[in-house]
Structures are given as structure tokens and as C-alpha cells.
Amino acid sequence: MIIKTFKGETETEVLLKVREELGPNAVVSSVKAIKAKGLGRLFKKTTYEATASLDENPPEVNLPRRESMKNIFKNNPNIIFEEDEKPAQDNNPLADREALELRINNLATMIEKRIGEGGAVKNAAEPAQEGAPVTDTADDKNVSCIRLIYNQLLENEVDEKYINMIVSEIEPTLKKDAPVENILSAIYQKIVLKLGKTEVLDINRGKVKYVFFVGPTGVGKTTTIAKLASKLKLDKKLNVALITADTYRIAAVKQLEVYANILNIPLKVINNEAEMEEAKEDLAAFDIVLIDTAGRSHKDRRQCDDIERLINTIPAEDREVFLVLSVTTKYRDLEAITEAYSEISDYRLIFTKLDETMYLGNIFNIKLLTGAPLSYATFGQGVPNDISRIDAQTIAKQLLGGGD
Ligand SMILES: Nc1nc2c(ncn2[C@@H]2O[C@H](COP(=O)(O)OP(=O)(O)O)[C@@H](O)[C@H]2O)c(=O)[nH]1
Ligand SMILES: [Mg+2]
């Protein structure tokens, strides 16, 4: 059992420190306001102190491999917002040559080992067609290497049509008997380029102010809003407000209310576009407003129209829209969902629940299907830390099986 005291200037700050250091299983036993004593009290602010404990041997809930996915994303270099001070993230997603080469070499070693074990050759051996020319062994090696990578991508749930697309794009560029590294590198680079540049929230003052989160129920919209609101308020010291249009379930409003209270930021509940206009007036002085929507059935066209109308109360240049999807949803269902949201223009993609699967193919599939920019990945229920910018190289490496 770990027992620790945490100090901070506000109650929220202290509670977030507890969360950050001890994680979501921490139990807070007390929070005290500490008033400065003597003459100092005239100048010093009240501070807060919380005592929290954590049982280090809780019942096992996470599969070890799940935990590793979480670690992979936690360790990503992470700029969560576009800002004035920092240079925008490198435009060339393949810029970091050294890191790239290291990754390719590791993957190539793995693949060479598998080819050595004969697994690939067996996989690649298709029933010989009658009269087909006997391919030479050099070609065989290219084919078996590609076949192995093909299977790897398939296993990671990349849709077959996209694997075929990649393979057909790189095949003509390969020399006979190409080294495994070259084939792998070509595929890796294709994947990274197709994943494209990640686009996160731009918090340059005076830019986007209204940020909508849309998507099916239960994917993690509200939790994601809480994570971002917390970072915007506590790390970036911005004036954040929340709006929820998810009034269909009382619990949904309550859930956001809890976060609004912890963060000490206003929450407006709206039932229609007229109330949205009112909320806009009330929140005119805020830097950024995050808007939660109901995860209505994408099977109901009318409900999607509602969301569209709500979004259109804000001029395009003042808003950003994020479509939130869970990476654990089946690709066929994701196809139907994105189809239903296709009328909503210019959205970016957030993928949630990366901690619940080892197979990230959907991120690639949906990126190619929609053409929308990728933005955030979330990998746990922890507010605010289980979120990061999607890193194309990390995803590409995972898809090629470099995670283990
Ligand atoms: N494992 C996991 N659970 C998450 C993640 N994001 C949200 N959740 C959980 O998913 C459930 C639904 O989240 P919620 O934010 O209410 O979804 P919403 O209906 O889209 O607003 C809650 O139990 C969240 O704690 C994530 O990244 N990983
Ligand atoms: Mg919600």
C-alpha cells in the first residue's frame, strides 16, 4: 500500500496530481484547505493538501499485452495542441531517419527470421497453375516476404482492399531479390504517408473557438472532452467552457457536470438550436468551448440532420468537428457509421479504446475510407492523461507487428 500527501494551489490541481501519480485506482482519504498562518496569511494564498492511497496489488484486470499498448502510446512524443510558441509538428512524417531505420531493421530481422523458419515460403506457395512459368528463387523470396507482411497486416485487421492497394503500389518499385529491409521499408513508408499528417486542436488565440464531438454512444466522447478540457484549462490556462446537447439521458448530463465541477468551468445544457444561440452569447468571453453531442443512432438519418444543424449554428471558420470512433468497433460497422456522418464536413478523427485491442487496422482503414485527418488516440479511462496525438510511425510499426 502506498500512502502519499499531495499539495497544490487548488483542490482540482491536488486531485489531478493524485490521479496522475497514483492512477485511477487511488483512493483519496481527505482533502484539506491549509490557510497560511501569522503575517504571511496576508500575502499567501490558501493551499490544499490531499492524502491518497493506492493498493499496489489490486486484482489483475489488464491483460499484460493491453498494458503494453498503453505504454506504447504514453511514451509517444506528444504535442497535444498546435500553439503559437512551438513550431508546428514536422510536415514530413518520415523526417526522423535514424529512428525510422532502427524500426525497419528491427522489423526486418523479425521477418527474416520467419522466412528462415520456412513459415513464409509455406504461406506463399500457391497451388502451381498448369503451364505457369517456373518462378526463379529470387522472385520467390520477394513474394514470400510480401506474403508475410500481407498476413501481418491482415492479422492486425487492415482491410484486404487496402493491403492489396499498398502491395500493388510498391511491387513495381522492387528489384528482383530485394533485401527484406527494402520491401519492408517501402511498405512502412507507404503506410506512414497514407496515414498522413496528424492535425490536433489549434489553440492559437482568435482561431477556432467551438469544438464539436460527434459519434456513436459509448465510444468515449464525454471522457475525451474531459481529458482535453482538463489539459486546456490546467496546462494551457485557457478559459474553457462546456456545452452539452446530449440531453436524452440524465446520466449523460450528470457525467459532464461532474467534470465541469472538478475543473471549475461552466457547463451549458442545450436542447435546440435556439438555446445554442443563447449559450453562444453567454460564453462570448471564453477562449474555447467544447461541445458534447448525443451519440444518436447513425441508422436514423433525421438525428444526424439534427447534429448537422447544430454544427451549422457556428460559422465554419470558428469551429472544428471531431468524429469520435472506437478502434474496437468492427470495420463493417465503422463503414456504416462514417457513411452516416459523411454529410458533416471537415471532421477529424479521434480513435478511442486503443487499450482494449492489439489490432489497430481500423485506424488505417477509416483514414483511407474517409480521407479525414487523424488527430487523437485515447488509451484508457484516466482523465486527463490517457490521450495523445496519433503518431503515424507508431501506428505503422504496430500494424507491421513491431510491437512485440
Ligand atoms: N478502455 C477505455 N475506456 C474508455 C476510453 N474512453 C472512454 N472509455 C470508457 O467508455 C465508456 C463510455 O464513455 P463516454 O465518455 O461516456 O462515451 P460517450 O457515450 O461517447 O460520451 C466509459 O465507461 C468510459 O470510461 C478509452 O480510451 N479506453
Ligand atoms: Mg457522452
Side-chain angles (χ1 to χ4, degrees):
M1 176 79 81
I2 304 173
I3 300 176
K4 275 194 81 163
T5 339
F6 296 81
K7 291 193 173 77
E9 287 181 3
T10 64
E11 214 175 312
T12 311
E13 187 190 330
V14 178
L15 292 176
L16 287 170
K17 276 185 183 165
V18 173
R19 264 290 175 101
E20 196 164 307
E21 195 170 327
L22 299 182
N25 298 327
V27 177
V28 178
S29 45
S30 74
V31 185
K32 282 188 297 206
I34 314 275
K35 296 213 164 61
K37 293 208 179 78
L39 258 189
R41 74 180 184 278
L42 297 176
F43 307 106
K44 286 198 187 126
K45 282 202 220 129
T46 302
T47 58
Y48 292 84
E49 196 177 83
T51 308
S53 60
L54 176 71
D55 186 353
E56 289 159 289
N57 302 311
E60 195 57 60
V61 279
N62 280 326
L63 299 170
R65 294 195 69 191
R66 240 188 232 185
E67 198 47 49
S68 77
M69 184 66 91
K70 199 162 176 149
N71 286 335
I72 289 163
F73 284 88
K74 266 215 151 81
N75 294 333
N76 270 347
N78 203 2
I79 303 167
I80 214 127
F81 306 116
E82 298 299 353
E83 292 177 70
D84 281 331
E85 315 89 71
K86 296 203 182 98
Q89 210 202 19
D90 203 319
N91 271 320
N92 175 5
L94 293 172
D96 191 355
R97 284 235 66 94
E98 246 174 62
L100 171 64
E101 274 162 23
L102 197 68
R103 286 175 172 190
I104 293 289
N105 284 340
N106 288 344
L107 291 170
T109 312
M110 180 189 87
I111 287 188
E112 254 165 356
K113 199 167 132 240
R114 289 214 209 146
I115 293 178
E117 285 162 3
V121 181
K122 240 187 279 143
N123 271 336
E126 284 178 349
Q129 282 166 16
E130 245 177 273
V134 184
T135 49
D136 63 40
T137 48
D139 255 359
D140 264 1
K141 192 164 163 259
N142 275 8
V143 168
S144 49
C145 176
I146 289 175
R147 185 56 64 102
L148 244 182
I149 297 172
Y150 192 104
N151 287 341
Q152 187 69 54
L153 292 172
L154 200 59
E155 192 173 311
N156 279 313
E157 296 180 3
V158 178
D159 195 79
E160 232 170 332
K161 65 175 173 288
Y162 300 125
I163 309 180
N164 283 323
M165 186 174 88
I166 293 175
V167 169
S168 65
E169 282 177 27
I170 65 126
E171 243 173 356
T173 70
L174 294 177
K175 296 208 177 71
K176 258 194 184 175
D177 198 16
V180 172
E181 292 92 82
N182 292 11
I183 300 175
L184 194 57
S185 172
I187 291 181
Y188 177 93
Q189 298 198 26
K190 265 276 173 267
I191 294 176
V192 171
L193 288 172
K194 285 189 188 294
L195 286 170
K197 189 172 171 283
T198 304
E199 291 182 18
V200 288
L201 257 184
D202 192 333
I203 58 168
N204 290 317
R205 262 161 225 272
K207 282 211 171 160
V208 171
K209 175 156 168 180
Y210 295 92
V211 188
F212 291 87
F213 296 79
V214 303
T217 306
V219 291
K221 291 183 295 299
T222 306
T223 312
T224 303
I225 289 173
K227 290 170 184 172
L228 291 171
S230 164
K231 285 181 184 283
L232 289 165
K233 161 102 184 185
L234 299 177
D235 300 348
K236 301 301 165 197
K237 315 284 182 220
L238 289 174
N239 260 327
V240 188
L242 302 175
I243 292 179
T244 181
D246 186 2
T247 53
Y248 293 78
R249 295 169 302 142
I250 294 171
V253 177
K254 271 263 165 289
Q255 186 191 2
L256 202 56
E257 228 165 52
V258 168
Y259 290 119
N261 286 340
I262 294 180
L263 292 168
N264 194 20
I265 57 183
L267 166 67
K268 300 270 174 206
V269 181
I270 59 160
N271 289 294
N272 50 46
E273 289 135 66
E275 290 181 15
M276 178 72 188
E277 296 294 343
E278 279 171 37
K280 264 166 69 179
E281 279 173 32
D282 292 346
L283 300 175
F286 284 78
D287 297 321
I288 190 156
V289 181
L290 308 182
I291 302 151
D292 202 357
T293 64
R296 298 170 199 178
S297 165
H298 54 272
K299 293 181 187 126
D300 188 338
R301 193 51 258 170
R302 232 181 12 200
Q303 295 182 324
C304 289
D305 287 348
D306 279 358
I307 293 183
E308 214 180 322
R309 282 212 306 274
L310 187 69
I311 291 172
N312 285 331
T313 58
I314 306 289
E317 64 272 20
D318 292 336
R319 70 178 189 227
E320 245 173 71
V321 181
F322 288 98
L323 176 59
V324 186
L325 299 170
S326 165
V327 78
T328 63
T329 306
K330 286 204 299 277
Y331 176 57
R332 300 289 160 224
D333 291 327
L334 286 175
E335 270 185 329
I337 293 164
T338 51
E339 171 61 27
Y341 286 95
S342 60
E343 311 265 302
I344 289 166
S345 55
D346 282 346
Y347 60 77
R348 298 171 185 190
L349 293 163
I350 294 179
F351 281 94
T352 61
K353 311 201 181 182
L354 271 72
D355 54 312
E356 291 193 347
T357 178
M358 286 309 294
Y359 314 111
L360 301 186
N362 274 335
I363 297 181
F364 189 69
N365 297 336
I366 295 301
K367 162 72 204 178
L368 291 196
L369 181 70
T370 63
L374 297 171
S375 61
Y376 296 106
T378 78
F379 37 80
Q381 303 183 316
V383 176
N385 285 333
D386 290 340
I387 186 165
S388 76
R389 178 196 278 263
I390 291 182
D391 173 53
Q393 298 201 20
T394 307
I395 305 289
K397 192 179 158 211
Q398 280 306 121
L399 294 181
L400 289 167
D404 43 26

